[in-house]
């Protein structure tokens, strides 16, 4: 039996006028894990306010860049909207879209807000296109602070209205958006290597792309 | 009053390398005389980019990598990661594996809690008792080494179960070691309730109120000592916790002493849970004895590490490497609580209060 409110889906839909994509699953231990995709990232703030009222605890924020599907095969992304006919009819190069229409071409962001409600888990998913922004949840959930600061240094995603948008772990001298770049392993571990090796590797990388 | 032109407010650095701090965190502390007036926390001294590395390793290699995120909760990371992979792939862990996972988890909890409380006594300045507590912890460390072949990274977990097994001889050995630890921990609790030196330094010091604990979203013993009655093992059970007599300990004062007491009481509960696990240990295989491909999907899993809730988010695709692995460790949440605990504290208590959240920086920064 789920500890999430019975009418949670309806209340989330009421808070997010652009639409939600809700699913929930209860495991054999009786723990429910629910997912709520938002059609518009701007609906995040009212949804978060609703969850705050419900006594939810913000547990984690995950930012990802869903990779572009490979061109040869039909890559069925889990977070894709279910309208498969659009994909089938479209030209092979047609970019798949998230629920809500953000292009999933490898440059968009998916930001997952993992909440705990009385022991059950609810993940609210917002999609942000490259160059877009997402409202900060820190004014509502104080503990979003570090998550959002970490997100801002790992990705080039803009978090608007963050009260203290300093670097968290990375020094200011390090270029931003480190997870969007190829960082050679020797750079990552601060090790030395010959220049020739890297020129060969990077040339090979370009050839493969 | 002062006739000298000396400012009353100073800004002092504590860390990142400091004789009394166990972890390389930099605190910029404004003091007024001997009293802390403002705390700024500056992180980033142990950032290793493990989140990036996970996407370059296969799912099965990541079980090994995640174990190396932290040493004291080294069992919780691969376990929660494996739980996520199992959820995506629909893998059922055999019953014996489920119990053995719980056994490994609780053994690690005992030694982790003992380490933290012993360090607290060290920071109080009661060195003989500190050494005695570390000696007792050695019984637990010897137990880990004897069963798993290693004292910290015990390598017990794999996707689909565990990588070790117990026989009658090892079960008898564990029971013997637990009996020794139990007597000593009961003694620790008595000491903590009566010893003047410990009480004077820890009672009413570093208070985190219930309301602030909720606001900061702190987890684990830090939350429970401030009256937040939450334990993942009870709230969102996994492994064998749904069929064990789990007692969740709490306190309401939210001070350094309460946090230590919660940990000491949890050690006794861990011993009880271990005894039930060893008594009820079902037969059969310990893992699925297979390495299936993990299909594309996503999962969120949680477990109660010694320091509190660990949450993993895993997204897989068609490749052997995961597309994204993200996790949040309890200490990541608990640092913020320090701003409240250190407010108006004495400079001499800073290191002790920092220790009372059982901080783990290698976990926090990954």
């Amino acid at each position: 039996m789920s500890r999430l409110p019975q009418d949670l889906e309806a209340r989330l839909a009421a808070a997010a006028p652009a639409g939600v994509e809700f699913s929930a699953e209860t495991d054999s231990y009786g723990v429910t894990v629910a997912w709520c995709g938002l059609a518009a990232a701007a609906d995040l703030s009212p949804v978060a306010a609703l969850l705050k009222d419900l006594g939810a605890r913000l547990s984690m924020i995950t930012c990802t860049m869903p990779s572009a599907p490979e061109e040869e095969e039909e890559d069925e992304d889990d977070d894709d909207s279910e309208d498969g006919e659009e994909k089938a009819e479209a030209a092979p190069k047609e970019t798949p879209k998230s629920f809500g229409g953000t292009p999933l071409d490898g440059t968009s962001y998916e930001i997952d807000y993992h909440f705990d409600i009385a022991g059950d888990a609810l993940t609210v998913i917002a999609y942000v296109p490259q160059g877009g922004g997402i409202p900060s949840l820190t004014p509502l959930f104080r503990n979003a602070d570090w998550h959002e600061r970490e997100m801002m240094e790992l990705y080039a995603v803009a978090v608007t209205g963050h009260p203290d948008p300093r670097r968290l772990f990375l020094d200011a001298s390090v270029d931003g958006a480190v997870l969007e770049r190829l960082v050679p392993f020797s750079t990552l571990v601060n090790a030395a290597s010959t220049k020739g090796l890297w020129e060969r590797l990077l040339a090979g990388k370009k050839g493969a792309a | 009053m002062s006739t000298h032109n000396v400012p009353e407010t100073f800004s002092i650095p504590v860390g990142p390398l400091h004789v009394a701090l166990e972890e390389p965190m930099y605190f910029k502390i404004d003091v007024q005389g001997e009293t802390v007036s403002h705390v700024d926390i500056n992180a980033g001294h142990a950032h290793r980019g493990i989140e990036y590395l996970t996407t370059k390793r296969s799912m099965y290699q990541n079980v090994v990598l995640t174990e190396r995120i932290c040493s004291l909760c080294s069992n919780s990371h691969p376990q929660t990661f494996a739980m996520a992979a199992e959820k995506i792939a629909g893998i059922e862990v055999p019953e014996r594996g489920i119990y053995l996972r719980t056994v490994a988890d609780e053994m690690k909890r005992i030694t982790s809690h003992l380490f933290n409380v012993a360090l607290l006594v060290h920071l109080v300045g009661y060195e003989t008792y500190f050494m005695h507590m570390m000696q007792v912890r050695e019984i637990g460390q010897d137990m880990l080494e004897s069963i798993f072949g290693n004292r910290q990274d015990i390598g017990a977990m794999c996707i689909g179960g565990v990588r070790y097994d117990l026989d009658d001889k090892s079960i008898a050995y564990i029971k013997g070691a637990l009996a020794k630890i139990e007597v000593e921990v009961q003694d620790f609790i008595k000491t903590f309730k009566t010893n003047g030196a410990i009480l004077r330094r820890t009672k009413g010091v570093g208070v985190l109120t219930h309301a602030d604990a909720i606001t900061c979203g702190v987890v684990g013993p830090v939350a429970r000592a401030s009256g937040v009655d939450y334990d993942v093992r009870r709230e969102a059970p996994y492994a064998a916790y749904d069929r064990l007599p789990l007692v969740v300990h709490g306190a309401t004062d939210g001070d350094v002493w309460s946090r230590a007491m919660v940990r000491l009481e949890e050690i006794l509960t861990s011993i009880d849970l271990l005894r039930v696990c060893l008594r009820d240990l079902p037969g059969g295989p310990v893992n699925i004895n297979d390495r299936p491909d993990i299909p594309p999907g996503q999962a969120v899993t949680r477990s109660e590490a010694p320091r509190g809730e660990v949450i993993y988010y895993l997204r897989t695709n068609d490749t052997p490497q995961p597309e994204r692995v993200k996790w949040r460790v309890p200490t990541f949440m608990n640092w913020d609580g320090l701003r409240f605990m250190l407010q108006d504290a004495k400079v001499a208590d800073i290191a002790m209060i920092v220790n009372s959240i059982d901080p783990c920086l290698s976990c926090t920064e990954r």
Side-chain angles (χ1 to χ4, degrees):
Chain A
M1 206 187 73
S2 171
R3 287 159 289 185
L4 298 171
Q6 288 288 309
D7 57 348
L8 181 63
E9 186 177 353
R11 291 173 77 168
L12 287 167
V20 295
E21 183 186 42
F22 186 86
S23 66
E25 193 187 353
T26 304
D27 68 10
S28 59
Y29 292 97
V31 181
T32 303
V33 176
W35 305 82
C36 175
L38 298 179
D43 288 342
L44 178 67
S45 297
V47 165
L50 165 72
L51 293 172
K52 178 96 182 169
D53 284 345
L54 291 173
R57 171 173 62 88
L58 179 66
S59 191
M60 176 169 77
I61 301 175
T62 306
C63 186
T64 72
M65 289 180 97
S67 58
E70 295 183 20
E71 281 177 23
E72 294 84 5
E73 48 195 42
E74 280 294 324
D75 198 340
E76 203 37 71
D77 201 306
D78 260 19
D79 308 289
D80 232 353
S81 56
E82 293 302 330
D83 43 353
E85 78 279 359
E86 182 192 75
K87 204 182 267 176
E89 282 170 22
K93 281 204 167 182
E94 178 73 18
T95 310
K97 291 197 167 49
S98 74
F99 175 69
T102 305
L104 295 177
D105 53 3
T107 66
S108 302
Y109 305 99
E110 176 188 322
I111 307 174
D112 302 337
Y113 296 83
H114 309 279
F115 289 94
D116 174 283
I117 302 178
D120 284 335
L122 169 68
T123 300
V124 175
I125 307 164
Y127 297 94
V128 178
Q130 180 66 237
I134 187 92
S136 169
L137 287 194
T138 307
L140 262 176
F141 291 92
R142 181 187 162 95
N143 61 354
D145 182 8
W146 277 29
H147 287 116
E148 289 179 342
R149 281 170 65 187
E150 190 180 9
M151 182 159 92
M152 283 186 274
E153 64 188 16
L154 294 183
Y155 296 94
V157 65
V159 178
T160 52
H162 192 284
D164 181 23
R166 286 179 298 162
R167 282 286 173 89
L168 178 63
F169 295 140
L170 301 182
D171 191 77
S173 65
V174 179
D175 289 341
V178 285
L179 284 190
E180 295 185 27
R181 291 184 275 125
L182 174 73
V183 181
F185 186 69
S186 62
T187 308
L188 182 72
V189 297
N190 202 17
S193 182
T194 64
K195 202 178 159 209
L197 175 65
W198 285 118
E199 278 169 359
R200 256 204 338 273
L201 282 177
L202 289 172
K205 177 91 189 160
K206 260 183 213 127
Chain B
M1 286 286 286
S2 172
T3 52
H4 303 288
N5 191 17
V6 176
E8 288 181 345
T9 310
F10 294 92
S11 186
I12 56 166
V14 176
L17 300 171
H18 185 275
V19 282
L21 281 189
E22 311 301 335
E23 301 279 331
M25 186 61 109
Y26 172 42
F27 298 93
K28 189 168 160 282
I29 294 182
D30 296 335
V31 291
Q32 209 153 23
E34 279 291 309
T35 308
V36 176
S37 59
H38 183 258
V39 182
D40 191 22
I41 302 178
N42 193 334
H45 305 92
H47 189 266
R48 292 160 294 161
I50 300 183
E51 248 171 47
Y52 178 81
L53 275 183
T54 55
T55 60
K56 307 293 167 205
R57 300 264 195 286
S58 77
M59 290 294 293
Y60 290 92
Q61 289 172 321
N62 273 326
V63 175
V64 181
L65 177 61
T66 51
E67 177 137 20
R68 275 137 188 89
I69 294 165
C70 176
S71 60
L72 282 172
C73 46
S74 60
N75 190 60
S76 304
H77 285 280
Q79 177 172 1
T80 321
F81 175 76
M83 281 159 59
E86 287 151 8
K87 205 173 198 175
I88 291 174
I91 296 170
E92 290 258 353
V93 178
E95 274 293 293
R96 190 175 177 85
I98 284 177
Y99 272 82
L100 288 176
R101 277 190 175 181
T102 315
V103 168
D105 231 16
E106 293 306 319
M107 280 188 188
K108 286 291 289 182
R109 192 183 318 277
I110 291 173
T111 55
S112 176
H113 280 355
L114 276 174
F115 186 65
N116 175 256
V117 182
L119 278 179
L120 170 65
V121 176
H122 159 64
L123 292 168
V124 163
Y126 193 174
E127 297 300 327
T128 8
Y129 207 64
F130 158 64
M131 291 186 195
H132 171 57
M133 291 181 91
M134 288 302 273
Q135 196 61 44
V136 172
R137 178 173 181 264
E138 274 307 297
I139 304 171
Q141 291 297 93
D142 283 347
M143 182 167 73
L144 291 174
E145 191 173 357
S146 307
I147 302 296
F148 302 102
N150 217 339
R151 288 161 59 89
Q152 286 294 12
D153 292 346
I154 60 176
M157 295 294 153
C158 65
I159 294 174
V162 293
R163 293 175 59 239
Y164 78 104
D165 204 355
L166 297 175
D167 54 20
D168 290 344
K169 204 174 147 201
S170 49
I171 290 175
Y173 164 73
I174 296 173
K175 283 181 177 165
L178 292 179
K180 283 188 217 159
I181 297 174
E182 186 179 35
V183 181
E184 297 287 354
V185 172
Q186 283 164 345
D187 212 46
F188 294 161
I189 291 178
K190 253 185 242 156
T191 305
F192 263 72
K193 283 182 175 163
T194 53
N195 182 282
I198 294 174
L199 287 172
R200 269 195 302 277
R201 286 296 305 277
T202 60
K203 270 271 187 192
V205 172
V207 173
L208 182 69
T209 64
H210 181 255
D212 290 340
I214 302 266
T215 312
C216 296
V218 294
V219 291
V222 176
R224 290 194 282 277
S226 292
V228 179
D229 187 24
Y230 190 98
D231 189 318
V232 181
R233 294 176 291 172
R234 185 187 63 197
E235 254 57 57
Y238 56 97
Y241 289 112
D242 58 330
R243 49 210 112 150
L244 296 177
L246 173 71
V247 182
V248 177
H249 298 281
T252 50
D253 289 351
D255 53 4
V256 173
W257 186 82
S258 300
R259 290 190 276 279
M261 281 305 281
V262 166
R263 292 192 182 101
L264 287 173
E265 282 162 354
E266 284 185 8
I267 296 172
L268 293 180
T269 296
S270 292
I271 293 172
D272 291 342
L273 297 182
L274 279 169
R275 285 187 177 134
V276 175
C277 280
L278 297 175
R279 186 193 70 204
D280 298 346
L281 193 62
V286 297
N287 58 42
I288 56 169
N289 197 22
D290 189 17
R291 287 190 168 194
D293 290 338
I294 308 298
Q298 59 179 349
V300 170
T301 47
R302 290 170 291 166
S303 73
E304 181 82 14
R307 295 174 176 82
E309 177 199 61
V310 169
I311 173 167
Y312 262 73
Y313 169 80
L314 172 65
R315 153 102 44 105
T316 51
N317 52 24
D318 289 322
T319 66
Q321 292 85 21
E323 184 164 309
R324 184 82 164 95
V325 189
K326 167 82 184 175
W327 59 93
R328 194 228 70 227
V329 299
T331 308
F332 192 93
M333 295 281 87
N334 291 349
W335 289 111
D336 191 34
L338 280 177
R339 290 180 222 267
F340 294 93
M341 295 176 198
L342 288 172
Q343 191 65 44
D344 299 328
K346 295 289 170 213
V347 170
D349 289 336
I350 291 173
M352 204 180 61
I353 294 171
V354 171
N355 174 74
S356 77
I357 68 160
D358 202 356
C360 179
L361 205 63
S362 62
C363 270
T364 305
E365 303 190 351
R366 292 148 278 139

